[in-house]
Every structure is written in structure tokens, then in C-alpha cells.
Amino acid sequence: MTRVVQKFGGSSVADAASIKRVARRIAATKQAGNDVVVVISAMGDTTDDLMDLALEVSPQPAPRELDMLLTTGERQSAALLAMALSDLGIPARSYTGSQAGVITTAAHGNARIIDITPGRIEKSLEAGDVVIVAGFQGVSQTTKDVTTLGRGASDTTAVALASSLGADFCEIYSDVDGVFTADPRIITGARRIPEISYEEMLEMAACGAKILHLRCVEYARREDVPVHVRSSFSDKPGTWVKDLADITKGSDMEEAIISGVSHDRSEAKITVAGIPDAVGRAAQIFDIVARADINIDMIVQNASRVMNGRTDLSFTLPMSDGPTAVHALTAAKDEIGYEQILYNDQIGKVSVVGVGMRSHPGVTSTFFRALADSGINLQMISTSEIRISVVVDADQVDEAVRVAHTAFGLDAEGEAVVYAGTGR
């Protein structure tokens, strides 16, 4: 008997009719003789609506109480889905993250999974039930409080459960037909990728691709859980995310130099200008940012100005953390000795990703020439073995994605379909 974990995003269960459609798909999987565990997101925009309500009540909601509120969205959809399955003659039982044994750190709003103790899930599966788990949530190991794992982290819940339950694979259902070579909302001719490696998917997720949560892919790679990305609105084959060694030889995308083009509009850039060019100054700056619990992405340091012995240091970070970082660095101006701080949140990151670039010279040239021919100026550049990222003005992001996609021959004749919602 195959054991499968299926995750359905908010756009897949946006209303009663959608929940019934998802229930029929789950019922078919169960009737085919499989053990089925389902991880469910909140309906449609429920989480956003709950957040708006919280902010109406309190401009700075207490993190613990905010988690108590936000986790109710997934509990609603889990219970409703169990009811719909029961009406189809499929016994089902819904659990909160806590009841399902999802044990986390104590960080409200961005907790991490420490362990999963799926005893209750196993008993329900043995009884023949479909088990439905509320995604995005767990319980703190230390405080015993309800916690949330960060927006989009129902994907991570699903992969973690698949690993702990020994599932054969994990299916992630959204409103597009798999992983595409670019966001089909920008590139209507984006091509579906039949199979993609964990490494490429990690880079694409880290660079802004919204189809899978970054921590979900990290977990899948670490635990070697095959992930099948599909649409809940169609029966098309989707995309398999798996180990590079398991990619089918001769697949359509095998010979591609670049697997995809990702973009991210959620970052900002800080430039610390006029830093004394002395040992330890960069360490001081990044120590201050780290103490504010802020992650940094790209870093560029200019050559030292010989005339005055000073230099400039630029880095990108999540836009939501920008004001905090600026405040922390401003408070340390005398300690660091810089001249000024420049902040810019009107930027975007565009990245080309592919394991093929390891053995193909000229990828950088092709990418940069395409951008230059379209008059797109590069503010920052960052590379890895299988990725090249650039920072451009926010209003040039879409054009940069389009020209890069075309330059690497990724355009397809057909039109990619977005069935509903905004992604996950």
C-alpha cells in the first residue's frame, strides 16, 4: 500500500465548492488503496483577513495571541474538508498541528519544526481514516503554546509529515500545473518543468519563486522526500522535485542550460557609505544586523577610495526588516564611523538558475547582454555554482524576467494557465 501526503493551498479550498472538489480528489486517492494524510491551508484570503482584523483591534498584536488567532483559519478548512469527505463515504479525522504532534521552537510567527510525534495520525490511518492536519502550525516544545511556522509554511508541514510517516512521496497542490521556467503571471509562455533537482528548486525558491516554500525544499532535500507539484484544478502531470541522480535521462529539460528565471520584489537595499577602510568594520556592521535577527542576502563592497581611505558597503535584506536594520545601524554610527546610510526599497532581484551552467561557458554573458540590450541597469550582482542574481530597479523587474527567459530559449508556444489566486 502506498502512503501519500497531499497538501492543498488556500486557493484550492477558497470556498465550499472548492472544498468539495478537493474532497473528491482525495476520495479518489483513498479509493485507489492508498493511506492518505492531507495538510490544508486556510481558505482563500482568510489568513490575510484575520491579520487585518488583528491590526484593527491592536496596532501591535501580542505575538502569542496573534498565533492563536491565525491558526484558526487552517482549523476551519480542516474540519470542513473532513465533513465533505464524510459525505462521500470516506471516514476522515481532522487534527490541529498540536494534535498531530508537530513540535516546534517557541518563536511565534516563525517557529521551526523540531520533531514530529505522529502517534495519533498512525492510529487514525490504521483505522482506515483519511487524516487531515491543519498546516502552518505546531506547539512549542518549551512553552506548550500554539505557534505558527511563517507564511506559506504549510508546504513545510506536509514534507515534514511525509518524512516522519515514511510516505512514498508528498504532493503539493496549488493553482498552477507545476513548476514553470518563470512566473506564468508574467511570462504567459513559460514552460512547465517535468523534473527539477532539489538544488535548482532551492535556488529558485530562495530567489523568489512562490510555488514552494524555501524551508519545504530544504526539508525535502535533507530527508530525500520526492515532491510532486500539481494543480488541484486539473489532472496534468505537474513537476517532480527530486535528487539530481534520480532525474529521468532524456527528459525535456535535461539538456537545458538554464532551468528557470525567478524574481523577488520583497527585498530592499542598504548602503553604508563612507566606512573607514579598516579591519573589522564589515564584521561590526553585520554583527549589528545579526543582533537584530535579520537575514542578509547579497553583499557588495566597493573598492577603497585612496584619497580618504573610506569605502562603501551595500547589502540586500527583506524589505520588512529594512527599517529595523536602518535604526540599528543609525544608533551605531559613532561606533562604526561611517558617513551616511542610504536605503532603497524600490528594487527587485532577478535570477537565472540551472545546473547546466556548471559546464556551459557564456551564461553570464548571455544574461548580461540581454539586460543591457533592454536598457536595464544592474545595481548588484551575486553568483553561486548554479545561479546568477542581479538587483535592478523595481519597475524593470518584469522586463528583466522576460528578456532573460527569451535569451535562454525558455519560451514555449502554448500558454501557461493560472487557475486562481496568487500562487500557493
Side-chain angles (χ1 to χ4, degrees):
M1 178 181 290
T2 299
R3 177 169 288 186
V4 57
V5 174
Q6 299 180 323
K7 178 263 176 179
F8 292 89
S11 60
S12 299
V13 291
D15 51 33
S18 298
I19 290 173
K20 290 180 180 179
R21 184 186 65 249
V22 165
R24 289 192 292 271
R25 184 182 287 269
I26 295 168
T29 305
K30 177 63 176 175
Q31 289 165 346
N34 302 296
D35 278 347
V36 184
V37 176
V38 177
V39 174
I40 200 79
S41 295
M43 298 171 62
D45 296 323
T46 297
T47 303
D48 289 331
D49 293 340
L50 289 171
M51 178 63 78
D52 291 341
L53 181 61
L55 293 174
E56 287 181 26
V57 171
S58 169
Q60 290 185 313
R64 180 189 183 278
E65 304 310 324
L66 189 60
D67 276 1
M68 286 287 286
L69 174 68
L70 296 182
T71 52
T72 63
E74 281 72 18
R75 289 163 58 188
Q76 289 176 18
S77 51
L80 290 168
L81 181 59
M83 296 174 193
L85 282 165
S86 294
D87 285 351
L88 295 175
I90 304 295
R93 186 172 292 271
S94 66
Y95 291 115
T96 67
S98 169
Q99 291 170 333
V102 180
I103 312 300
T104 75
T105 60
H108 288 291
N110 195 33
R112 291 186 173 269
I113 296 174
I114 297 173
D115 190 18
I116 294 182
T117 55
R120 296 184 71 176
I121 295 178
E122 291 283 9
K123 288 181 180 179
S124 292
L125 290 174
E126 289 171 8
D129 295 334
V130 168
V131 176
I132 305 166
V133 178
F136 163 69
Q137 61 188 262
V139 61
S140 166
Q141 184 179 51
T142 54
T143 66
K144 309 305 179 186
D145 285 334
V146 170
T147 56
T148 59
L149 309 178
R151 296 300 297 270
S154 292
D155 293 356
T156 307
T157 304
V159 170
L161 281 170
S163 174
S164 68
L165 291 166
D168 295 82
F169 56 90
C170 178
E171 292 185 319
I172 304 288
Y173 286 91
S174 70
D175 62 355
V176 290
D177 290 317
V179 179
F180 283 80
T181 51
D183 187 340
R185 295 162 185 80
I186 294 178
I187 308 296
T188 56
R191 185 185 305 170
R192 182 183 62 84
I193 305 172
E195 297 177 315
I196 188 170
S197 69
Y198 292 128
E199 289 77 13
E200 289 171 301
M201 194 66 245
L202 267 174
E203 292 281 15
M204 290 180 70
C207 293
K210 299 284 192 295
I211 188 65
L212 285 178
H213 194 259
L214 176 61
R215 280 157 54 191
C216 155
V217 187
E218 290 174 337
Y219 211 111
R221 181 179 67 167
R222 185 172 68 247
E223 302 297 329
D224 196 21
V225 177
V227 177
H228 194 191
V229 183
R230 308 181 65 187
S231 170
S232 62
F233 297 84
S234 78
D235 292 318
K236 293 184 178 179
T239 299
W240 282 96
V241 184
K242 56 177 71 172
D243 189 270
L244 182 61
D246 297 328
I247 300 293
T248 304
K249 300 302 180 185
S251 66
D252 293 342
M253 298 301 296
E254 183 197 357
E255 298 302 324
I257 299 172
I258 297 301
S259 294
V261 183
S262 299
H263 71 282
D264 189 353
R265 305 179 195 274
S266 67
E267 293 196 348
K269 182 178 71 170
I270 290 178
T271 299
V272 185
I275 307 166
D277 191 8
V279 174
R281 286 296 194 270
Q284 280 183 292
I285 291 170
F286 294 127
D287 280 347
I288 290 166
V289 175
R291 287 199 295 270
D293 198 25
I294 296 171
N295 290 319
I296 288 173
D297 184 11
M298 301 168 68
I299 303 171
V300 172
Q301 181 168 333
N302 295 337
S304 176
R305 305 174 208 152
V306 178
M307 296 293 293
N308 62 5
R310 290 181 176 268
T311 188
D312 302 334
L313 181 68
S314 298
F315 58 90
T316 60
L317 72 171
M319 190 187 302
S320 57
D321 291 330
T324 302
V326 170
H327 181 268
L329 290 168
T330 299
K333 182 176 183 179
D334 292 339
E335 175 188 347
I336 300 170
Y338 64 82
E339 292 174 348
Q340 63 175 327
I341 288 181
L342 305 174
Y343 179 71
N344 181 8
D345 59 8
Q346 296 302 304
I347 63 166
K349 181 172 67 174
V350 178
S351 307
V352 293
V353 177
V355 294
M357 70 172 64
R358 289 171 172 161
S359 55
H360 286 79
V363 173
T364 304
S365 173
T366 301
F367 186 27
F368 288 3
R369 174 51 55 194
L371 296 175
D373 288 346
S374 295
I376 298 172
N377 185 51
L378 310 183
Q379 300 182 26
M380 300 177 73
I381 301 167
S382 174
T383 65
S384 76
E385 191 178 17
I386 63 171
R387 170 192 52 78
I388 304 170
S389 297
V390 298
V391 170
V392 302
D393 288 338
D395 59 3
Q396 293 184 312
V397 169
D398 287 6
E399 179 65 12
V401 172
R402 277 191 286 267
V403 299
H405 197 265
T406 299
F408 288 104
L410 299 176
D411 295 342
E413 293 183 4
E415 185 170 318
V417 179
V418 180
Y419 297 93
T422 56
R424 210 180 307 282

